[in-house]
Amino acid sequence: MKLCFLVEELYRHDGMPLDVVRRLSSWGHQVDVVRPGGSLLRISEEVRAGTHDAWVLKTVSGGPGLTLLEAAAAVGLTTVNDARSIRAVRDKVLTSVIARQHGLPVPVTYSAPRATLFADVPDELFPLVVKPADGSSGRGVRLVPDPGALADAEQAGEGQLIAQPYVPNPGSDLKVYCLAGEFHATLRRSPLHPDGPVEEGAVPLPAEVAAAAAKVGAVFGLDLYGIDVVLGPDGPVIVDINDFPSFRQVPDAVSRLAGAVLDLARTGGAARQGVPAFAPRIPAQPQTPHGQSHPHPEADMLAAAPGAMRI
């Protein structure tokens, strides 16, 4: 197959996705890497040629890569993820509206251009978690205990902000990664509690969380994504959704992601197929030891691993 990876400048030396590019090349596929933020592009010719089986995006929020991916989608080319799906989860205000409309367990969300404007949020909803509406990777996330602390939460040049009621938790988040229907759960220290005593690593995936993760993929039309979940006193709460995350601590992530990209390039992914949110199930495939590469994906596509579920 012939693939085009759009890689923003922030990720030009990052193992993810460049290791995936190398793995795909070692399997005999042709992979072109385009850096939309660091090179001159003949956009019309690049897109119109239509010689790639799929375009894959690894970008920062608001980066130029998303526009190029949308251009590819506009002329009917396959994109991973679907460009419209990426746009829907990059804007956290839009994400919240879509998620709540479909009954996903997300907090009530407020939006404002400055932190001090959240003073009008009802007092009983404090403490608030405040973060940029286009943020990612925990950047700019802070906990505001009461209205009187909002002035100290002001940060210049952030743009639109969102605020959500804080969900009490033990200082950890559950990060769930999805690779074209395969789910992996890892425990990580909460960005709101950076000094908490948390042992990070792969953990079993609760069925209720797996079902919510599957529904996220169906609602937003995502195939490669991650969700951040807080296990609060009333059950799991989704506090963030990200397209093409790091897949950190997923066993054999490079081969699994490379295999998923190939599969999506062939099928067009959930957005084209209209895949519903089926209940995840534990797979029967054999375990793949950590660090061991899969054979060519046509022979062994996405074998199961500890903590994984498939839909």
Side-chain angles (χ1 to χ4, degrees):
M1 302 192 80
K2 184 178 180 182
L3 305 167
C4 180
F5 272 64
L6 302 172
V7 181
E8 297 281 8
E9 289 301 292
L10 179 65
Y11 302 107
R12 64 177 302 176
H13 302 298
D14 200 302
M16 187 67 72
L18 296 184
D19 288 343
V20 176
V21 170
R22 285 187 279 268
R23 184 60 49 83
L24 287 166
S25 298
S26 73
W27 286 344
H29 301 279
Q30 180 180 337
V31 185
D32 297 325
V33 176
V34 174
R35 296 187 173 91
S39 59
L40 175 66
L41 301 177
R42 296 184 301 168
I43 295 176
S44 300
E45 287 76 6
E46 290 281 354
V47 174
R48 187 175 55 190
T51 58
H52 295 92
D53 295 291
W55 290 52
V56 185
L57 175 65
K58 176 64 175 177
T59 180
V60 294
S61 293
L66 182 52
T67 298
L68 189 53
L69 194 78
E70 289 173 324
V75 299
L77 303 180
T78 296
T79 64
V80 180
N81 287 289
D82 182 85
R84 294 163 299 178
S85 302
I86 295 174
R87 183 70 72 180
V89 296
R90 290 294 174 87
D91 183 336
K92 304 305 180 184
V93 175
L94 179 59
T95 303
S96 173
V97 172
I98 294 173
R100 290 181 67 85
Q101 177 68 22
H102 287 84
L104 287 165
V106 299
V108 61
T109 303
Y110 293 83
S111 178
R114 300 190 312 277
T116 51
L117 294 177
F118 293 126
D120 289 333
V121 173
D123 289 352
E124 62 269 20
L125 295 184
F126 281 80
L128 291 178
V129 178
V130 177
K131 56 187 175 181
D134 63 350
S136 62
S137 303
R139 288 188 289 268
V141 179
R142 59 268 199 192
L143 185 63
V144 182
D146 54 63
L150 285 169
D152 294 333
E154 289 279 0
Q155 296 184 17
E158 285 191 302
Q160 198 72 8
L161 301 171
I162 65 170
Q164 298 171 325
Y166 170 75
V167 180
N169 64 86
S172 61
D173 294 347
L174 193 63
K175 184 78 173 184
V176 183
Y177 297 108
C178 177
L179 298 93
E182 180 175 302
F183 292 85
H184 295 263
T186 64
L187 194 68
R188 71 170 191 180
R189 187 173 289 103
S190 169
L192 299 174
H193 304 285
D195 300 321
V198 176
E199 185 175 348
E200 297 186 332
V203 295
L205 180 58
E208 186 178 8
V209 176
K215 187 173 181 179
V216 165
V219 166
F220 288 94
L222 292 165
D223 296 293
L224 303 176
Y225 62 97
I227 66 172
D228 293 351
V229 177
V230 173
L231 300 178
D234 298 321
V237 178
I238 298 173
V239 294
D240 204 5
I241 303 172
N242 297 289
D243 65 279
F244 209 127
S246 67
F247 298 100
R248 184 163 57 98
Q249 297 179 337
V250 171
D252 201 15
V254 172
S255 288
R256 292 178 184 279
L257 185 52
V261 167
L262 290 178
D263 189 42
L264 295 169
R266 295 186 185 99
T267 64
R272 292 196 176 189
Q273 298 177 60
V275 176
F278 295 112
R281 60 179 175 83
I282 299 175
Q285 293 96 331
Q287 172 179 324
T288 299
H290 179 71
Q292 176 179 319
S293 298
H294 289 280
H296 195 277
E298 279 78 358
D300 181 21
M301 182 68 71
L302 299 177
M309 289 186 176
R310 288 186 62 81
I311 57 171

